[in-house]
Amino acid sequence: MKLEVLRISSQNDSTSGILFDVVNGKRKFLCYTLEDEQRDVKVWGETRIPAGEYKLSLRKEGGFHSRYQAKYGNMHQGMIHVNDVPGFEFILWHTGNTDENTAGCLLLGDSQTSNLVQKDGFIGSSVNAYKKVYPYVAAAISQGDVYVTYIDHDGDINSSDISDVNSNDITEKLEEISGEIQILSAKMDGRNIE
């Protein structure tokens, strides 16, 4: 299974995003997401994890696991855990409504208020989204490798993000535009160029 977290709005206090399941080159919407803000220097409990691909597993220890086991019963098989995040540990997917409910983890929700409107961001119906997404992802983890790619769709565009643009196509288009400019310029001077 391949999943994507598309980060769509990074503000001073939070990052709004969308979680997709990627199947056969198509994205299937699963839910909205909320994380802490992006920082160049990590501040514990106030920084989202770096963009990149990570393997998911089920963490079967710790306070979240115990609380969720009591809350969700047999549905809960362990916390969805994002593994091997540089500079971070115990990055989980769980419920919550604002960036105050996360310390680098990913919150899941069925509705979202823009973090341009509400500085801490807001996702609603978090428990409903968790009950929908968790069994689907946990079952896949139990059957094999599951990876998630966190993608920053906001902020700076790296040259690697536009690598599908062919420099020959650009050169051809510039030459075409240059020719059209010469024709227009000649017509303005009263000459006819064919």
Side-chain angles (χ1 to χ4, degrees):
M1 173 183 268
K2 303 272 295 171
L3 301 164
E4 286 182 350
V5 174
L6 302 182
R7 292 165 164 165
I8 58 173
S9 180
S10 182
Q11 302 304 317
N12 290 335
D13 289 309
S14 63
T15 300
S16 296
I18 305 171
L19 176 63
F20 288 99
D21 181 11
V22 181
V23 180
N24 298 325
K26 294 184 180 181
R27 290 185 177 105
K28 174 186 168 194
F29 174 81
L30 295 178
C31 69
Y32 295 101
T33 64
L34 190 71
E35 302 172 82
D36 284 314
E37 65 272 23
Q38 188 279 329
R39 294 177 184 264
D40 293 333
V41 177
K42 179 185 172 188
V43 173
W44 188 92
E46 293 293 332
T47 308
R48 73 184 191 196
I49 68 171
E53 183 179 71
Y54 304 100
K55 186 174 182 179
L56 298 179
S57 64
L58 295 176
R59 181 175 163 78
K60 299 180 181 189
E61 58 188 351
F64 266 103
H65 172 64
S66 299
R67 287 192 303 276
Y68 277 49
Q69 198 167 36
K71 183 174 183 174
Y72 296 109
N74 290 336
M75 180 187 95
H76 184 75
Q77 303 299 312
M79 297 301 299
I80 296 174
H81 178 235
V82 183
N83 294 277
D84 302 322
V85 179
F88 291 79
E89 57 183 354
F90 311 124
I91 300 300
L92 308 173
W93 291 9
H94 58 84
T95 61
N97 297 115
T98 73
D99 85 314
E100 298 302 317
N101 303 126
T102 180
C105 297
L106 188 73
L107 303 179
L108 309 178
D110 273 343
S111 65
Q112 186 172 64
T113 300
S114 170
N115 58 2
L116 295 170
V117 174
Q118 188 169 333
K119 75 175 188 126
D120 289 335
F122 182 84
I123 53 173
S125 300
S126 187
V127 170
N128 289 341
Y130 189 80
K131 285 180 177 179
K132 176 180 65 179
V133 172
Y134 177 86
Y136 182 66
V137 175
I141 292 170
S142 297
Q143 294 175 8
D145 292 340
V146 175
Y147 290 89
V148 62
T149 303
Y150 285 72
I151 301 169
D152 296 342
H153 263 311
D154 60 345
D156 296 335
I157 298 175
N158 299 321
S159 60
S160 62
D161 294 339
I162 57 172
S163 62
D164 58 342
V165 176
N166 184 336
S167 62
N168 290 335
D169 293 341
I170 294 171
T171 302
E172 282 180 29
K173 192 64 174 173
L174 288 173
E175 289 172 357
E176 180 183 324
I177 292 170
S178 177
E180 290 174 9
I181 290 172
Q182 287 177 4
I183 291 170
L184 288 173
S185 179
K187 285 184 179 180
M188 290 174 62
D189 290 341
R191 295 178 287 145
N192 190 11
I193 297 178
E194 309 241 353

